[in-house]
Amino acid sequence: MRTIAELHYRVAGAVRGRWPGAHRSQRGHSGPEFRAHAPLIDMPDLRRLDLHASLRDPFGQWLVRVNSERMAIPVAMVADLSASIGFEGAQRKLDVLADFVESLSWSAWRNGDSFGFVGCDEEVRSELVLPQTRARGGGVALAASLRALVPAGRSAQGLLAAHRYLTRQRSLLFLVSDFHLPLEFVEGVLDSLADHDVVPVVLWQPQEFGLGVGTGIADVIDPESGLRRALWWRPSLRARWESAQRDRRAALLGECGRRRLAPLVIEGAFDADAVTRHFLS
């Protein structure tokens, strides 16, 4: 059996979970992390009596320690499955996405978190929706379906409706796309997901932004619309192509920066350690 790479993630601040897990919270009374002192009369548990704090209390109260418990969170992924995700360079984007799904679902299970998935092209693909689950192998069958998928959607319009399929509880949400989308549309999607802690994940292949060296006629195709066109590939066009890619990247990073979001850019194969470094940086 193929080994699934584990990644590590975290959320900023305390979570408001309902299930025991691995994340800091401000709930519970007997966890490992000290939160505050409380009068013994309000929390009558002599096992947590703090003698030093009680002796220093100016009102002469007996004080007990209140410790926060570690809680679980929902972890979800909303993925763009339109035709451009079928692009294949050194790796196929869908295979990179499938590897990410396997790794994230496995890591969520290891942390005690639930995992959910919403796949979208022109609409939400109901057969590629996984409600939040704590099942150990929840992402394995989903990843197999993604690897077998031949994306044909002419848009990613379904991303605007993805929030309806997510839990109401604030989640750690990975928004995965190649973001070859109008910036206004991206803004609308991010607005619809504002109730969650969003991590934009940009799937790119280096071959998308260059047709190799040399000069000549290049046959190019727009995967979203299916339009095919012959271009005379020359140095000036190459410079414009590369400049457009840099401008696109800067605009996307700028939009994320305005929302205080830190995008994760995956250029090539999936690397679980790179995802971990993203959260630790």
Side-chain angles (χ1 to χ4, degrees):
M1 294 182 63
R2 190 170 61 86
T3 301
I4 299 176
E6 185 174 358
L7 58 86
H8 301 278
Y9 54 83
R10 62 183 181 184
V11 293
V15 303
R16 295 184 177 181
R18 301 182 182 90
W19 299 85
H23 307 280
R24 291 180 57 247
S25 77
Q26 293 292 332
R27 301 185 63 178
H29 307 298
S30 57
E33 186 172 338
F34 173 74
R35 183 167 83 238
H37 284 105
L40 178 63
I41 193 171
D42 294 335
M43 300 188 65
D45 188 345
L46 290 174
R47 295 172 300 175
R48 299 201 296 273
L49 183 65
D50 190 330
L51 293 177
H52 291 286
S54 300
L55 291 172
R56 293 193 302 268
D57 185 67
F59 301 103
Q61 299 181 99
W62 291 103
L63 299 178
V64 297
R65 295 172 62 89
V66 180
N67 287 5
S68 296
E69 299 175 9
R70 295 272 174 162
M71 296 291 181
I73 60 171
V75 176
M77 181 181 288
V78 171
D80 169 10
L81 300 179
S82 60
S84 62
I85 295 295
F87 181 88
E88 185 170 355
Q91 294 83 25
R92 184 170 174 249
K93 287 183 188 177
L94 269 173
D95 292 337
V96 177
L97 174 60
D99 290 342
F100 199 171
V101 166
E102 277 188 332
S103 179
L104 184 60
S105 62
W106 170 256
S107 303
W109 177 80
R110 293 269 292 174
N111 277 332
D113 298 328
S114 62
F115 174 74
F117 181 89
V118 182
C120 311
D121 47 26
E122 298 169 61
E123 57 186 16
V124 174
R125 297 283 298 270
S126 58
E127 73 277 17
L128 292 172
V129 172
L130 177 67
Q132 295 296 138
T133 178
R134 287 184 170 79
R136 179 175 180 177
V140 176
L142 176 61
S145 298
L146 291 172
R147 291 190 176 96
L149 180 67
V150 179
R154 297 307 184 194
S155 75
Q157 197 68 27
L159 292 175
L160 291 172
H163 66 280
R164 301 172 186 168
Y165 294 79
L166 301 172
T167 177
R168 293 184 179 180
Q169 183 182 349
R170 192 169 185 86
S171 309
L172 176 61
L173 177 62
F174 294 82
L175 173 61
V176 185
S177 174
D178 54 17
F179 289 92
H180 296 325
L181 304 165
L183 193 58
E184 297 78 10
F185 179 80
V186 174
E187 292 172 358
V189 174
L190 293 175
D191 286 342
S192 71
L193 300 174
D195 290 338
H196 304 279
D197 292 323
V198 179
V199 180
V201 181
V202 185
L203 293 187
W204 280 344
Q205 287 289 310
Q207 293 83 351
E208 290 181 273
F209 306 107
L211 297 179
V213 297
T215 302
I217 296 177
D219 189 29
V220 297
I221 184 171
D222 180 353
E224 297 287 319
S225 64
L227 295 176
R228 187 181 297 271
R229 184 178 178 185
L231 294 177
W232 179 251
W233 193 239
R234 58 196 185 276
S236 61
L237 181 58
R238 185 191 312 279
R240 287 167 51 195
W241 193 289
E242 293 172 350
S243 176
Q245 188 268 339
R246 290 192 298 269
D247 292 345
R248 179 65 185 171
R249 185 181 190 123
L252 182 59
L253 294 180
E255 178 60 30
C256 291
R258 283 190 290 273
R259 296 171 181 268
R260 298 184 178 181
L261 302 177
L264 168 63
V265 180
I266 301 178
E267 296 182 282
F270 173 73
D271 182 357
D273 291 337
V275 180
T276 299
R277 290 193 296 271
H278 174 80
F279 283 96
L280 296 180
S281 62

